[in-house]
DNA sequence: GTCTATATTACGATAGAC
DNA sequence: GTCTATCGTAATATAGAC
């Protein structure tokens, strides 16, 4: 818990420490005392860098959300057949999730107890809805199997994607990287989704 | 938040209220004050029924774990071809998850901050490992596609199953029941897993 | 079985020295 | 930029009356 770390913090470097502790203990389970121990500075020193605990949460979830929304703006997410765009967005979402792992992890766990959390949940729902729209479009094109109900498939696809934060650890030896995991997700999910298998 | 509910509690009926609030606000984000408001009795009255907050958590996660382990003891989980046993366990796990939704939801969210939480995480890991062993056996039988790495497939299958707690709500109109969701999971996942598609 | 009142500790945040 | 000291509040839990 007490991480050595001298040589002055910035809001960003402090955020890295905080997000790690938030993910270990949960946001509500983390006190400023926990953060100060992990950062190796006193509680009051933290307030020199950020306004408080909730600002750290806000910075973290916004970073995650910005990364996710950026995917929807990419060219391959906007042009082409819907089912292919869906597959592309699925792949890139997994990659962002792996690249920004601690931030997305925190985002996926907020419960809505504060304004910041509710705002994060709302933006996240917006992202989900945009992907769900892609799925709907692909179904209308006749590119998705019809024996699995659409809303259900959307939920399960997200479930598979989002579950990556529960086990992926970049440091583990021989671990797959973002692209490999994305491959596996796309292969597994789209085998059950695409009309052609 | 303030749920009307007069006519004396038992540990079990109090548990039902507590687990609902735990799932709404998170365990660490829930105070005894929150619980007392939701139950409609005073804080101190809660201590008449249970030893404290952590006992409520312990009762809840144990109920979830008992339900999950019971699946592994069922006949179809113990005899037959491994891939079929895996499919059966997958289906039944989803059903238990839906039947015991609030309890399993809580189980899947514990972070390990207390002894109770660490104990729950350990038992849950044990369950996961037993299912993972089934997957390994099915692969050895040549019944699983070999182009998706085994550990990865295990993780993603669990991710899909466990994600059900994030969105399934038994009260929503026209919602699928446990068996239907289990069907969808099995169809989607095993299309990408089984050698024959 | 439920209550009010309270003990005790932990929390988020601030004041002010260096 | 970091510290010690501290404020005010909210937390878990208990005491004891009814």
């Amino acid at each position: 818990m007490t991480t050595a770390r001298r040589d002055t913090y910035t809001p960003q470097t402090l955020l890295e420490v905080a997000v790690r502790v938030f993910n270990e203990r949960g946001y509500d389970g983390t006190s400023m005392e926990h953060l100060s121990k992990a950062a190796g500075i006193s509680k009051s020193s933290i307030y020199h860098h950020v306004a408080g605990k909730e600002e750290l949460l806000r910075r973290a979830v916004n970073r995650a959300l910005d990364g996710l929304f950026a995917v929807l703006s990419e060219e391959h997410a906007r042009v082409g057949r819907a089912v292919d765009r869906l597959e592309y967005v699925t792949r890139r979402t997994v990659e962002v999730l792996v690249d920004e792992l601690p931030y997305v992890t925190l985002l996926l766990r907020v419960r809505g107890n504060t304004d910041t959390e509710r705002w994060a949940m709302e933006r996240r729902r917006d992202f989900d809805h945009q992907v769900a729209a892609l799925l709907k479009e692909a179904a209308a094109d006749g590119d998705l199997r019809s024996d699995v109900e659409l809303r259900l498939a959307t939920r399960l696809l997200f479930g598979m994607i989002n579950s990556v934060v529960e086990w992926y650890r970049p440091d583990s030896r021989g671990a797959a990287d973002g692209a490999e995991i994305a491959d596996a997700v796309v292969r597994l999910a789209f085998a059950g989704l695409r009309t052609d298998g």
Side-chain angles (χ1 to χ4, degrees), chain A:
Chain A
M1 174 64 77
T2 312
T3 304
R5 161 76 213 232
R6 305 291 32 222
D7 59 283
T8 203
Y9 282 103
T10 64
Q12 173 55 34
T13 58
L14 186 59
L15 181 63
E16 287 167 26
V17 175
V19 168
R20 178 169 54 75
V21 183
F22 286 159
N23 282 328
E24 282 166 9
R25 307 189 51 91
Y27 177 71
D28 285 319
T30 302
S31 69
M32 293 303 276
E33 185 73 30
H34 290 132
L35 293 184
S36 92
K37 288 282 196 301
I41 58 178
S42 70
K43 272 195 295 178
S44 56
S45 293
I46 294 177
Y47 289 94
H48 177 79
H49 300 288
V50 292
K53 194 177 150 181
E54 198 168 353
E55 182 185 322
L56 288 165
L57 180 65
R58 186 170 47 72
R59 284 173 181 270
V61 295
N62 276 334
R63 171 151 170 175
L65 286 161
D66 289 348
L68 291 174
F69 275 103
V71 170
L72 299 179
S73 304
E74 294 178 25
E75 167 130 13
H76 288 88
R78 290 183 295 107
V79 299
R81 209 168 171 80
V83 70
D84 296 326
R85 281 182 284 144
L86 176 65
E87 190 174 311
Y88 179 80
V89 167
T90 300
R91 179 183 306 275
R92 288 286 298 127
T93 297
V94 174
E95 286 171 2
V96 167
L97 197 147
V98 166
D99 288 346
E100 305 285 345
L101 190 71
Y103 304 99
V104 181
T105 302
L106 198 53
L107 171 68
L108 293 178
R109 288 182 185 162
V110 298
R111 300 301 313 150
N113 293 339
T114 63
D115 285 340
T116 299
E117 293 180 65
R118 285 185 284 272
W119 163 243
M121 289 171 75
E122 199 182 306
R123 280 193 73 189
R124 187 189 148 198
R125 251 192 306 274
D126 185 20
F127 176 82
D128 289 0
H129 285 159
Q130 291 198 44
V131 180
L134 263 184
L135 225 132
K136 191 175 178 185
E137 206 181 325
D141 291 344
D143 289 333
L144 295 188
R145 282 172 51 171
S146 54
D147 61 339
V148 172
E149 204 254 323
L150 206 62
R151 270 171 309 176
L152 212 49
T154 310
R155 309 279 205 183
L156 294 174
L157 178 60
F158 272 115
M160 199 189 274
I161 294 173
N162 291 341
S163 73
V164 171
V165 304
E166 300 299 330
W167 52 266
Y168 181 70
R169 296 297 171 264
D171 51 288
S172 46
R173 282 171 300 278
D177 68 3
E180 287 177 72
I181 293 167
D183 263 353
V185 171
V186 166
R187 229 173 312 185
L188 210 60
F190 283 78
L193 283 176
R194 277 190 187 263
T195 13
D196 290 333

